Amino acid sequence: MTPLNYVNYSSTSVDSSRSLYKPIGFILCLLMSPVFSAENYDLAIVGGRVMDPASDFDEIANVGITGDRIAVITKEPITGDKTIDASGHVIAPGFIDTHFHGTQPLHYRLALRMGVTTAMDLEFGALGTRIDDWYSDRDGTSLINYGTSVSHELARASVLDGVDAIDTSEASLTRVHPNWAGLVPTADESEEIFAIIDEGLRSGAIGVGSTLGYMPGASANELFDVQALSASYGRQIGVHLRHTPGTETDEINGAQEVLANAAALNAPAIINHFNNPGWQRVYELITRMQTQGHNVWGEIYPYAAGATTINAVFFDPSNWRDRLGRR
Ligand SMILES: [Zn+2]
């Protein structure tokens, strides 16, 4: 499929907001724009294919912007102090990517190149004791909207391995250590892990991110308690499921664990990248729960590949060689 090229209205502005709602604001602006093209605009984006998924608008049109507002979308010619010829490009509201591990300025710049104006890591997250640092590092300098969950994995790494990595950019520092993945914490250690996650939530993390599938030492009880903690703040958990990658039965069971907890807690949850064996049933579970009013979601990435750290538990010979690979 030929990739689309995107022109983003907001790609040149610096935005330090933690808000998730800016792209939604764009959509509303788009819907409410009057058709009036006589005036001159600050910026005229002309000749592009204007697409708005919320209203199904999909036509070649001209977009006039005044200040930071979309003032007009019209097929009539318009003029602007500055004009961008968007012929051959798509003009769309900024995309929101809730599974974005690249948290450095270069990654954000690359996100803009593919139309993403809000990038959040809601799977891995950042260390609870450093959430304030994480946000202040980006305040006033980030090209795009950003956000992070608080990391279940990094809380375990901090307590069980004594490593204080801030987010995925430093995950290579933690994953060489022996305990974060497999160790079952003592009661005291568990209390420390939960205190770190709680600090992150109090500091403004957007829910909890759990790489549960990497951490066989995190019990079903531990996951339930983490989901309950996030729910106590009214926030979601995003989970890389247990048993992923696995068999069709394993994969469905991994989703069922998170969804059952979410239902019991009446808590929001995101099933991360469930495009694995059994995904059709997981999709059905999620949509059936949604129709019953549960705030549960899933995501699927649109490519048939993946990447992770070489020492991940999936590459244990009993998993990789016997179940996933070839001898
Ligand atoms: Zn994952």
Side-chain angles (χ1 to χ4, degrees), residues 101-117:
H101 295 306
T103 57
Q104 300 303 307
L106 174 62
H107 305 133
Y108 291 159
R109 192 170 289 278
L110 292 171
L112 282 171
R113 300 288 293 179
M114 54 185 173
V116 172
T117 54

Side-chain angles (χ1 to χ4, degrees), residues 99 123 240 273:
H99 193 137
E123 185 201 44
H240 177 117
H273 51 61

Side-chain angles (χ1 to χ4, degrees), residues 29-37 39 41 64 70-74:
C29 291
L30 208 72
L31 293 173
M32 295 187 295
S33 300
V35 179
F36 180 74
S37 58
E39 66 184 273
Y41 301 97
I70 298 171
V72 68
I73 298 172
T74 178

